[in-house]
Amino acid sequence: MENLFQSDGQVAEMVQMVYGMIIAYAPKVLLAIVTLVVGLWLINRVIGVLDKKLGEKDPTLNKFLCGLISAILKIMLVISVASMIGIATTSFIAVIGAAGLAIGLALQGSLSNFAGGVLILIFKPYRVGDVIETQGFFGSVVEIQILYTIINTFDNRRIIIPNGDLANSSLVNVNAYENRRADMVFNIGYGDDIDTAKAILKRLVEEDERAFSDPAPNIFVGSLGESSVDISCRVWTKTPDVWPFIWDMQEKVKKAFDAEGVTIPFPQRDVHVYESKKAD
């Protein structure tokens, strides 16, 4: 019976202690929860406004900077909430630092991608909307994130490339300049008149509004091939018009050559057969 009374007394003391802890920590926990919810809401609102403003001024910097600021603000919010509950922030920061070091060693590739993203934003080898050719892919840049760059190919494929690879490799920025030169080569037979072919090309180029007159088009015999005379045609035009111009010229030149009797030869080889006579 005495042990029972002692047990009841211990239970009462434990209940009293738990009740005291609830009274002491409940307001702090409740305040911490409210702070966390309100803080996340405010961070999302701030990031939303920043995303909209930066999107209007610099779409290239937009997603990268918004993602970085969002991560920093959320880490600061978690540290503040932890201090409100009573967790020592110095110890908490030390734990985060140790965890960050371990994670950093484990994710060296991701840190390389992050550094690559920073370099891309600083030196701007390409921007959102540019057409680039790199890593065996060719497409338009739609987003530059903290770790990756996303491009869409012209056959509607989504390609995700690590920023570290892009920052340390060669790439071609097709849209770097407003104007580009369209280089074309047209083959005619050795029996055809070169001046006639050049006059046809000159006329077709001048009739196309996309072709610049300054710099003037350059039409010349580029080489003498095994079975054809190769006439080069170099024309300056707006960058977005380069490929449509080339494709249209291919069709126009074929029709014009056919109408004027200029042949477009195909590779061929003459074979001479000699009959040897046996001695009587």
Side-chain angles (χ1 to χ4, degrees):
M1 185 66 68
E2 183 178 354
N3 292 334
L4 181 61
F5 287 147
Q6 289 179 354
S7 299
D8 290 341
Q10 291 176 352
V11 170
E13 290 179 0
M14 292 180 62
V15 170
Q16 187 67 28
M17 182 178 64
V18 171
Y19 180 74
M21 292 178 63
I22 292 175
I23 296 298
Y25 285 98
K28 296 181 179 179
V29 173
L30 182 60
L31 181 60
I33 293 174
V34 172
T35 302
L36 181 63
V37 173
V38 174
L40 290 175
W41 180 81
L42 288 175
I43 290 173
N44 290 333
R45 289 297 300 270
V46 170
I47 297 300
V49 173
L50 187 62
D51 184 32
K52 184 177 180 180
K53 296 296 183 182
L54 283 178
E56 296 173 353
K57 295 182 179 180
D58 191 350
T60 302
L61 188 63
N62 183 21
K63 297 298 181 183
F64 185 94
L65 194 58
C66 287
L68 182 61
I69 293 176
S70 176
I72 293 175
L73 290 178
K74 287 177 180 179
I75 292 175
M76 294 175 62
L77 177 63
V78 170
I79 294 175
S80 299
V81 170
S83 64
M84 294 174 63
I85 296 176
I87 300 176
T89 54
T90 54
S91 301
F92 192 70
I93 293 174
V95 171
I96 291 179
L101 178 60
I103 294 173
L105 293 174
L107 301 176
Q108 294 183 29
S110 296
L111 292 178
S112 175
N113 293 334
F114 175 80
V118 173
L119 292 176
I120 290 171
L121 291 175
I122 292 175
F123 296 105
K124 292 182 172 59
Y126 58 86
R127 302 171 182 266
V128 171
D130 285 351
V131 176
I132 64 173
E133 182 178 1
T134 183
Q135 305 292 315
F137 300 106
F138 184 70
S140 176
V141 179
V142 295
E143 191 174 328
I144 301 175
Q145 298 182 349
I146 295 178
L147 302 178
Y148 303 98
T149 290
I150 300 175
I151 68 174
N152 284 345
T153 62
F154 294 106
D155 57 350
N156 206 27
R157 291 180 297 159
R158 189 176 183 85
I159 310 297
I160 301 174
I161 306 176
N163 287 333
D165 294 342
L166 291 175
N168 295 286
S169 64
S170 302
L171 62 87
V172 178
N173 189 337
V174 178
N175 292 102
Y177 302 106
E178 183 180 358
N179 303 327
R180 281 183 59 196
R181 192 181 70 186
D183 292 352
M184 299 166 285
V185 177
F186 300 99
N187 305 322
I188 65 173
Y190 273 96
D192 295 310
D193 185 66
I194 293 176
D195 293 332
T196 300
K198 290 173 65 176
I200 293 173
L201 293 176
K202 185 174 183 295
R203 172 172 57 83
L204 293 176
V205 169
E206 291 176 348
E207 289 175 353
D208 198 309
E209 296 180 352
R210 293 169 296 187
F212 292 171
S213 57
D214 185 21
N218 194 7
I219 302 172
F220 57 94
V221 176
S223 63
L224 301 176
E226 292 184 357
S227 58
S228 66
V229 178
D230 303 329
I231 301 180
S232 297
C233 181
R234 296 178 178 177
V235 183
W236 284 90
T237 183
K238 293 285 187 182
T239 296
D241 294 334
V242 169
W243 284 110
F245 175 76
I246 291 176
W247 295 328
D248 290 344
M249 281 292 294
Q250 301 289 335
E251 180 178 347
K252 292 177 181 179
V253 168
K254 176 62 170 65
K255 292 179 178 179
F257 278 4
D258 290 344
E260 298 288 338
V262 178
T263 60
I264 300 178
F266 51 87
Q268 53 186 313
R269 188 179 300 274
D270 291 335
V271 178
H272 302 271
V273 179
Y274 298 94
E275 183 180 354
S276 60
K277 295 182 179 181
K278 296 181 178 180
D280 294 337

